[in-house]
Amino acid sequence: MSQTTITLLFLLFAVVSFILEKIPLGLTATIVALGLNLTNVLTVKETFAGYVNSNVILCVGMFVVGQALFETGMANKIGGIVTKFAKSEKILIIAIMLIVGIMSGFLSNTGTAAVLIPVVCGIADESGYSRSRLLMPLVFAAALGGNLSIIGAPGNLMGVNALEELGLSTSFFMYAPIGIPMLICGIIYFIVIGCRLLPDKKVITEDAPEQTKDFSNVPKWKQAMSLIVLILVILAMIFEDKIGIKIQVSACLGAVILVLAGVISEKEALKSIDLKVVLLFGGSLALASALEKTGAGTLIADKIVGIMGSNPSPIVLLLVIFVVTCVLTNFMSNTATTALMVPIAVSLAESLNADPRAVVIATVIAGSCAYATPIGMPANTMVVGVGGYKFKDYVKSGLPLILVSFVLCMILLPILYPFYP
């Protein structure tokens, strides 16, 4: 059996396993990486290179920096600002989506949603608004906000890594030119159209999430320091070239300072590191390496280009990659979807001799468009019970938002990142 065939079989196994999730995502990626080594497709060095990749280190550092904000209660304080906007339902939706969107641009999407769900439930119960009309905008804003920076979601870093390996420059706000308009349009969508599609359901109190944790005993200096360190780390990442410190080093420095200062304990810091993401990232990079090394990625790209006809337009390619990624991400993990699709997107762009930036960014953005099902992302699942949602509620409110995101990407990406600059 050729190495190309072996790689394609492991890719098929990964796709099926990611969709069914009978095996944990991180374990699936590890099985693939080890399998590629045992079948001599990859060397030991190539197999484990992904696990010590600089972007994995960045992910680990930001897990700790972000967790400090959650552990000290500072995230709750920031989220509590929404209570000041409870004058009308539409104003409240705007406030929720803005705050959640901005927070999730620099913190964990899932963590931000988990912290603010009880806050929003409390506001809804006190003010008489229906939870089901506030929680869906909240979780969708968490996904939209993840596109504001390269640290907004783990999948973002996979796109960054792919471009860096091609020798292309990246920046901290690489996704922002698309992410900011998407967040703004997402808010406008919910105010103009989405609010009519949101269900109005009465939810039994027993389904309420845990009450907001009491942070009254946390010293004020810890809360302040967690925010200051996060801001300094983000500024260091933005001005990476000027200060001469790599973003991975800035993230790790921030994490070390927070632990040394006692803002977050070593135990809490280690617990905050999501090993599932680390294993998924490392294993997926091994698969991406095999797809490139064996030519399997090029083979898939050639087949897709062949289906699209001779000399296909890059716009058609962009459309195909967005639609395929979007469909997958609504039925499997966002990160897993992005991990699978990014190397294929790169091969597709290279087969047309086009600049891969637009295609890679489209893949990452599409990977975050998991609005149409309750299983598309963890935050969606979190609010099923507390919001009293049915599957059709996600389809009804989420599909139009996916369409809005799709149209925006099709318009902006070719302008901002020309295929043939």
Side-chain angles (χ1 to χ4, degrees):
M1 193 181 292
S2 70
Q3 290 191 338
T4 303
T5 305
I6 292 169
T7 303
L8 289 172
L9 287 173
F10 274 114
L11 174 64
L12 180 62
F13 164 74
V15 171
V16 174
S17 187
F18 283 156
I19 292 172
L20 298 178
E21 283 200 58
K22 297 293 184 185
I23 305 171
L25 298 177
L27 184 56
T28 293
T30 304
I31 291 169
V32 169
L34 293 173
L36 289 166
N37 174 258
L38 292 171
T39 52
N40 296 318
V41 174
L42 296 177
T43 64
V44 172
K45 187 177 179 181
E46 289 168 336
T47 301
F48 296 106
Y51 295 94
V52 289
N53 180 278
S54 59
N55 287 311
V56 174
I57 305 301
L58 171 59
C59 233
V60 169
M62 288 312 297
F63 277 139
V64 178
V65 173
Q67 190 63 23
L69 214 71
F70 296 126
E71 288 291 334
T72 60
M74 195 64 205
N76 284 70
K77 268 192 171 179
I78 297 168
I81 295 170
V82 296
T83 56
K84 297 176 182 176
F85 298 92
K87 293 179 175 65
S88 76
E89 187 182 73
K90 285 189 177 181
I91 293 174
L92 189 53
I93 288 173
I94 294 171
I96 289 169
M97 292 189 74
L98 262 179
I99 291 167
V100 172
I102 293 168
M103 283 178 69
S104 63
F106 307 102
L107 302 169
S108 156
N109 302 15
T110 307
T112 300
V115 163
L116 296 185
I117 286 167
V119 174
V120 170
C121 281
I123 295 167
D125 294 345
E126 287 173 25
S127 58
Y129 298 123
S130 171
R131 291 179 185 179
S132 62
R133 295 185 62 77
L134 300 177
L135 292 174
M136 199 171 278
L138 185 157
V139 294
F140 288 178
L144 288 164
N147 297 318
L148 298 184
S149 75
I150 63 170
I151 60 172
N156 294 13
L157 289 172
M158 290 177 179
V160 169
N161 193 74
L163 293 176
E164 286 177 347
E165 286 188 355
L166 293 169
L168 297 170
S169 61
T170 58
S171 66
F172 185 75
F173 289 116
M174 184 175 84
Y175 300 104
I178 307 294
I180 292 172
M182 276 181 64
L183 179 59
I184 293 168
C185 288
I187 294 170
I188 294 169
Y189 159 74
F190 270 108
I191 297 309
V192 178
I193 302 167
C195 60
R196 299 175 190 175
L197 303 174
L198 289 167
D200 189 356
K201 300 181 180 181
K202 297 297 176 189
V203 183
I204 302 167
T205 314
E206 283 76 22
D207 287 335
E210 290 181 25
Q211 291 299 309
T212 307
K213 190 176 169 185
D214 181 18
F215 294 101
S216 58
N217 294 326
V218 177
K220 301 287 183 192
W221 71 267
K222 283 191 176 184
Q223 294 185 333
M225 191 166 179
S226 68
L227 182 60
I228 290 166
V229 169
L230 173 66
I231 292 169
L232 289 175
V233 167
I234 290 168
L235 287 173
M237 289 177 175
I238 294 168
F239 298 106
E240 175 189 8
D241 294 335
K242 288 188 171 60
I243 64 175
I245 300 174
K246 291 290 182 184
I247 57 175
Q248 294 84 0
V249 176
S250 296
C252 292
L253 275 174
V256 168
I257 289 167
L258 289 166
V259 174
L260 284 177
V263 175
I264 184 172
S265 69
E266 183 189 10
K267 187 178 179 181
E268 289 167 337
L270 291 171
K271 191 178 175 183
S272 73
I273 299 168
D274 191 341
L275 282 178
K276 178 182 75 176
V277 171
V278 173
L279 292 172
L280 179 57
F281 208 126
S284 298
L285 289 179
L287 178 58
S289 178
L291 285 168
E292 182 185 358
K293 183 181 178 181
T294 64
T298 306
L299 182 66
I300 295 169
D302 289 344
K303 291 291 182 187
I304 295 172
V305 170
I307 292 168
M308 289 190 290
S310 57
N311 199 23
S313 162
I315 295 289
V316 176
L317 166 64
L318 205 60
L319 185 149
V320 169
I321 205 78
F322 192 99
V323 171
V324 172
T325 307
C326 215
V327 170
L328 284 175
T329 199
N330 277 282
F331 296 96
M332 57 193 266
S333 156
N334 315 37
T335 313
T337 301
T338 309
L340 286 174
M341 293 302 297
V342 163
I344 293 170
V346 170
S347 296
L348 280 166
E350 288 180 334
S351 69
L352 297 178
N353 294 316
D355 189 319
R357 270 175 284 215
V359 184
V360 168
I361 292 172
T363 307
V364 173
I365 298 286
S368 70
C369 291
Y371 313 127
T373 68
I375 57 171
M377 52 187 172
N380 283 12
T381 312
M382 284 179 197
V383 296
V384 172
V386 294
Y389 296 121
K390 305 272 187 217
F391 192 97
K392 66 178 181 181
D393 295 324
Y394 288 89
V395 177
K396 201 173 172 184
S397 296
L399 274 180
L401 185 56
I402 290 173
L403 185 61
V404 169
S405 301
F406 170 74
V407 171
L408 264 175
C409 280
M410 290 301 107
I411 294 170
L412 293 177
L413 280 170
I415 296 170
L416 296 170
Y417 305 98
F419 294 106
Y420 303 106

